[in-house]
Amino acid sequence: MKKEQISNIANNITFVRIFLSFIALALVMSGDIKLLLVAIILIAYSELTDMLDGYLARRDNCVTSLGKLLDPLSDSISRFIYFFAFGYMGLFPIWLVIILFVRDIIVAYIRTYMSLMGIAMGARFSGKAKALVQFGGQYLLLFALLVLYMNQGQSYSEEYLLIMTAVGTFSTFAILHFLKVKGNYYWYSLLGYVAFLIPFYFINKVDIALDITYSTAVMVIVSLVTLWSLVDYLSALFSAMKEGEE
C-alpha cells in the first residue's frame, strides 16, 4: 500500500485555516472595533482557504485520507469557534451554539459507521445548504457585532479600513500567485475576497439600527437549518440500515 504524504500544500492550508480561526476568535472577543476589522480580514482568508485546499489537492494530485478528514473537521472547528465568539459577545443565547456542535459530532459518527458498513456517504444537499446558511449567518453576525460596537461609541476611520482592505487584497493577490492558482479559481478567489470586504466599508457611512432580536433571529435560522441537516443524515442512516437488514 502506498504511504500517503501527510504534509502537502492542501493539508498545510487546511491547518492554516484552523490556526486563523483561533486568532480570529481572540480578536472577535477583544471588544475592540479595530481588532474586529482585523478579524474580518482573517475570516475572509479562512473562507478563501476553504475553497483553495480542495482545488490544490485535485490540481497537484495530493488528495489524501487525512485531507478528506481534515477539511470537514476544519470547517466544523472554524464555524463553531466563530459562532461561539458571537454568542459570548452577547449577540444571541450562547446555548444555541450547542446545536451546531452536536450536529457535526453526530454526523461524523454516522459517516464513520456507514464507512464501516462499506457504504460511502457523500456530501448531501442538506449538508451543503447547512454550510451555506452558516456562512451567511456568520457574515450577518459580523455586521451585527460591528454595529453593536459602533452603537457603544467605538469608531474607526475610513483610512484605517482602506489600509486593512488594501493589505488584505494585495496579500491575497500575492498568495494566489505564490500558489500558482489559475483560471476561474483565481478570479473567484480574488473577487470573492474583495466582495466579502466591500460591505464593511459602507457600513461606516450609513446609520443601521440592529439589536439582539436581529442577531438572535439569524442564529435561530442557522440552528433550524443545522437541525434539518442532522435529521436528513439520520434519515439516510436509518434507510441504509433498513436496506442492510433486507
Side-chain angles (χ1 to χ4, degrees):
M1 181 181 294
K2 182 180 179 180
K3 186 177 180 180
E4 292 185 338
Q5 183 180 3
I6 294 178
S7 179
N8 57 53
I9 187 64
N11 289 348
N12 291 341
I13 287 180
T14 304
F15 284 121
V16 168
R17 180 157 78 252
I18 297 174
F19 179 68
L20 289 177
S21 299
F22 283 100
I23 296 179
L25 170 67
L27 296 175
V28 169
M29 296 174 63
S30 69
D32 185 282
I33 193 169
K34 291 184 178 180
L35 293 181
L36 176 60
L37 290 173
V38 177
I40 291 170
I41 298 291
L42 294 182
I43 290 172
Y45 276 139
S46 180
E47 297 300 331
L48 176 65
T49 60
D50 187 20
M51 181 174 65
L52 285 181
D53 56 2
Y55 160 77
L56 293 172
R58 293 187 297 271
R59 187 197 68 181
D60 298 344
N61 194 27
C62 57
V63 177
T64 63
S65 298
L66 178 63
K68 293 178 181 178
L69 174 66
L70 281 178
D71 187 46
L73 177 62
S74 63
D75 290 342
S76 297
I77 291 174
S78 60
R79 295 278 188 248
F80 178 75
I81 283 176
Y82 297 145
F83 283 109
F84 172 81
F86 296 142
Y88 180 86
M89 298 305 292
L91 292 184
F92 53 79
I94 197 168
W95 62 265
L96 286 170
V97 181
I98 297 175
I99 296 174
L100 279 63
F101 181 75
V102 170
R103 182 268 177 196
D104 283 0
I105 291 296
I106 294 177
V107 169
Y109 274 104
I110 289 175
R111 287 180 177 276
T112 301
Y113 177 75
M114 294 189 71
S115 177
L116 292 174
M117 292 176 61
I119 302 174
M121 174 177 276
R124 297 180 65 82
F125 173 77
S126 65
K128 295 179 180 179
K130 181 269 304 181
L132 181 62
V133 170
Q134 286 187 358
F135 168 74
Q138 169 189 306
Y139 196 73
L140 293 174
L141 290 171
L142 280 171
F143 269 96
L145 188 56
L146 192 60
V147 171
L148 175 64
Y149 288 165
M150 293 172 67
N151 291 339
Q152 292 174 348
Q154 296 192 52
S155 62
Y156 57 89
S157 66
E158 289 187 13
E159 290 77 14
Y160 178 82
L161 184 57
L162 284 172
I163 290 173
M164 294 304 300
T165 303
V167 169
T169 302
F170 282 111
S171 58
T172 301
F173 180 81
I175 290 171
L176 293 174
H177 274 268
F178 174 76
L179 296 175
K180 298 179 180 178
V181 177
K182 298 179 180 179
N184 289 336
Y185 270 92
Y186 174 84
W187 293 110
Y188 290 157
S189 300
L190 187 60
L191 296 177
Y193 186 88
V194 174
F196 187 97
L197 298 178
I198 284 177
F200 292 99
Y201 175 79
F202 291 101
I203 196 174
N204 204 25
K205 298 176 178 292
V206 296
D207 293 326
I208 301 177
L210 300 177
D211 55 24
I212 192 172
T213 303
Y214 161 84
S215 53
T216 300
V218 170
M219 190 58 190
V220 167
I221 293 173
V222 169
S223 300
L224 289 174
V225 174
T226 301
L227 283 174
W228 166 61
S229 176
L230 173 59
V231 171
D232 180 55
Y233 273 88
L234 286 172
S235 176
L237 171 64
F238 294 147
S239 296
M241 293 174 64
K242 185 176 180 180
E243 291 178 1
E245 293 176 354
E246 296 175 353

